[in-house]
Amino acid sequence: MLFSDITVLDEQFCCQPHQYVATKDSKIVYIGKEKPEGDFGECYDGHNRLLMSGLVNAHSHAAMTLLRGYAENLPLDRWLNERVFPFEDKIQNEDAYYSTMLAVAEMLRTGTTSFTDMYFFSEHVIKAVGESGIKCNFSRAITSFSDCDISGIPSFQESESLVKTYHNAFDGRLKIDMSLHAEYTNRRTVMEQFAESVKAHNLRAHVHLSETEKEHEECKQRHGGLTPTELFQACGVFDVPTTAAHCVWVTERDMDILKEKDVTVATNPASNLKLGSGVCNTAALLGKGVNVALGTDSVASNNNLDMFREMYLCALLPKGFHRRPDIVSERDVLKMATQNGYSAQGRTDCGTVKVGNRADLIVVDLDTVHMCPHNDTVNNLVYAASGEDVLLTMVDGKVLYKDGTYTTIDIEKVKREVELRTKRIQNEVNGNA
Ligand SMILES: [Zn+2]
């Protein structure tokens, strides 16, 4: 595709107006003021439009879209035990496929080109990733409630088999990570064996970490005063590239460990606010040089997957929290939502509009009421834009969404199926089936 007369958000998050950008196969092959020679297929008129890297949702449970609006106004433990687990208990394979597809459609619609997901129903999530064309680092959450040998745990066996079958599948769009669900859902011996296995296979890890005060404090009681971060470090979990979701209650010392071990913190501001978990101190983490990425968590605790809304919250929260409006900048937040997320996924050739990089690109409409006037387009992107302003989403050079149309998803069928399946599950949960 050849984008003409388009404003480009460059690697430093500065706007370069009136550019030509050409993609060929999966790559960006040209950026410049002059029209390039050659045939790049469709020409896209970029007047009043901005081209930027696609966004990375660094922590999600996509298949949980079935639970949108289903569980509200509860703290995490009651939210899980009273609402989420009984519902999840009734989810069947095809349900997970359609709900993941709905999540992917929402992500593509709102500018997300890659997501880091942790769930079960692995084959059905993977099927939706394969068919839709989006990128994903998927991991099957491992839980253990006794000090057993990890090789006997079904979720670990499944993880190993996913790695064998699907790691780097769909031309590398899908990567399989290993996931330790959390400290409170695992035993120490299993954490140690998990770390050894991930290291041996040269994979990446995905965990929940210090999401709530309860989790953080109970871990200290269970493990001789060690915080979840200190415990994971002691078990070797952080010896591999790790994405740690939430990190709301991490201490100053925990933050130093996260920096030293090069752990990515995936912050989820909406979910943490909604479940009353607290506010992640992203300013302190950024100040220590930690790689901070941005995620939505599932729609059950958000209730949307729009990364523009997440960027807005992520930019505002530290200002109010520290009473310092200058503490986190718009560029910090854009970097968290793009480069930092891709880097956490181990995708080094994505995240910036640069020649040679993968063409994971989105086009944002600059010609809307709320984007006018253009005193500073970068400020508008973070504080005024929404995912609805995305006009086109491209992954590896392929257009997956454009002007209301999906090229790989039958969206009306997906919506219909999700409605029907949600009703069936609700009936089963209420004992009416
Ligand atoms: Zn989560």
Side-chain angles (χ1 to χ4, degrees):
M1 182 173 269
L2 179 64
F3 298 93
S4 71
D5 191 23
I6 201 156
T7 299
V8 171
L9 188 70
D10 71 13
E11 210 171 341
Q12 280 73 44
F13 302 98
C14 296
C15 287
Q16 307 295 341
H18 309 299
Q19 301 286 306
Y20 286 91
V21 176
T23 68
K24 205 166 182 68
D25 302 324
S26 62
K27 298 275 178 70
I28 300 167
V29 294
Y30 176 87
I31 304 170
K33 283 259 180 207
E34 306 298 323
K35 188 175 180 181
E37 297 287 325
D39 180 14
F40 303 98
E42 188 188 339
C43 193
Y44 185 94
D45 180 3
H47 179 65
N48 264 335
R49 289 168 183 190
L50 175 128
L51 187 73
M52 63 179 282
S53 162
L55 307 172
V56 179
N57 188 340
H59 178 69
S60 64
H61 312 282
M64 288 179 78
T65 34
L66 289 162
L67 286 97
R68 194 187 325 257
Y70 177 73
E72 309 293 345
N73 307 323
L74 290 170
L76 181 72
D77 52 347
R78 290 189 54 204
W79 177 82
L80 279 173
N81 291 311
E82 294 173 26
R83 300 293 281 171
V84 174
F85 291 155
F87 190 104
E88 281 183 327
D89 199 41
K90 305 290 182 193
I91 297 178
Q92 296 172 9
N93 293 339
E94 285 281 288
D95 305 336
Y97 163 76
Y98 281 107
S99 56
T100 303
M101 208 50 135
L102 185 71
V104 170
E106 186 180 353
M107 288 193 262
L108 293 174
R109 171 69 190 87
T110 51
T112 292
T113 43
S114 191
F115 65 111
T116 300
D117 205 72
M118 181 203 291
Y119 209 56
F120 33 106
F121 295 108
S122 313
E123 300 272 349
H124 307 277
V125 173
I126 287 169
K127 184 169 172 233
V129 169
E131 288 175 10
S132 66
I134 200 166
K135 285 182 182 164
C136 177
N137 280 39
F138 180 77
S139 57
R140 165 66 164 102
I142 293 169
T143 51
S144 54
F145 297 97
S146 65
D147 283 310
C148 54
D149 192 300
I150 197 169
S151 61
I153 300 175
S155 50
F156 176 77
Q157 294 164 351
E158 190 185 328
S159 299
E160 286 214 306
S161 120
L162 290 175
V163 170
K164 280 199 193 92
T165 316
Y166 292 111
H167 191 43
N168 290 318
F170 315 127
D171 299 321
R173 282 195 292 109
L174 176 71
K175 291 179 185 291
I176 303 296
D177 295 343
M178 297 288 272
S179 159
L180 203 58
H181 175 266
E183 175 276 324
Y184 62 96
T185 45
N186 279 286
R187 299 296 283 259
R188 183 168 183 151
T189 50
V190 172
M191 294 175 197
E192 287 163 355
Q193 296 172 67
F194 170 88
E196 272 168 33
S197 169
V198 182
K199 227 181 295 179
H201 289 93
N202 205 15
L203 295 165
R204 314 181 88 79
H206 188 185
V207 300
H208 288 109
L209 191 71
S210 290
E211 178 174 0
T212 64
E213 186 177 23
K214 183 172 182 283
E215 166 198 343
H216 188 81
E217 292 304 320
E218 286 180 358
C219 172
K220 290 183 351 199
Q221 285 165 22
R222 269 194 293 268
H223 296 283
L226 294 180
T227 65
T229 301
E230 289 166 348
L231 178 66
F232 278 172
Q233 187 204 20
C235 292
V237 174
F238 294 151
D239 293 346
V240 299
T242 302
T243 292
H246 303 299
C247 300
V248 174
W249 290 93
V250 290
T251 63
E252 187 85 19
R253 184 175 142 66
D254 289 343
M255 290 186 195
D256 290 332
I257 292 171
L258 297 172
K259 166 62 189 161
E260 187 196 316
K261 304 305 285 185
D262 210 11
V263 173
T264 292
V265 171
T267 183
N268 306 273
S271 174
N272 297 151
L273 288 173
K274 190 148 190 286
L275 296 176
S277 304
V279 175
C280 171
N281 194 346
T282 49
L285 288 161
L286 289 171
K288 287 193 183 283
V290 175
N291 187 54
V292 183
L294 184 60
T296 58
D297 211 354
S298 82
V299 296
S301 61
N302 191 302
N303 299 358
N304 68 85
L305 302 171
D306 181 346
M307 285 287 290
F308 280 88
R309 288 172 65 157
E310 214 66 39
M311 282 197 285
Y312 178 75
L313 265 185
C314 184
L316 294 194
L317 271 174
K319 300 175 194 300
F321 188 72
H322 297 278
R323 287 178 288 167
R324 274 192 51 195
D326 63 339
I327 200 157
V328 170
S329 75
E330 303 72 51
R331 285 175 171 79
D332 289 334
V333 173
L334 282 164
K335 186 164 181 285
M336 288 162 68
T338 54
Q339 295 167 16
N340 294 3
Y342 271 121
S343 148
Q345 293 190 322
R347 300 181 191 270
T348 49
D349 56 353
C350 301
T352 50
V353 188
K354 196 166 80 174
V355 170
N357 265 11
R358 295 267 171 176
D360 288 8
L361 300 168
I362 61 173
V363 174
V364 180
D365 194 354
L366 300 179
D367 191 21
T368 63
V369 174
H370 55 268
M371 296 291 264
C372 180
H374 292 280
N375 286 313
D376 186 321
T377 301
V378 172
N379 290 342
N380 284 358
L381 270 180
V382 174
Y383 299 121
S386 89
E388 297 294 306
D389 298 327
V390 173
L391 299 172
L392 178 146
T393 302
M394 172 186 271
V395 176
D396 275 351
K398 290 194 186 72
V399 175
L400 303 183
Y401 170 83
K402 188 182 169 197
D403 301 330
T405 303
Y406 294 91
T407 59
T408 54
I409 301 173
D410 181 348
I411 191 62
E412 291 310 319
K413 177 162 196 253
V414 169
K415 279 159 57 184
R416 212 167 47 238
E417 290 285 346
V418 169
E419 287 286 5
L420 283 173
R421 289 161 189 278
T422 305
K423 282 202 183 82
R424 189 205 80 232
I425 294 169
Q426 284 201 17
N427 279 332
E428 288 176 16
V429 170
N430 298 328
N432 301 330

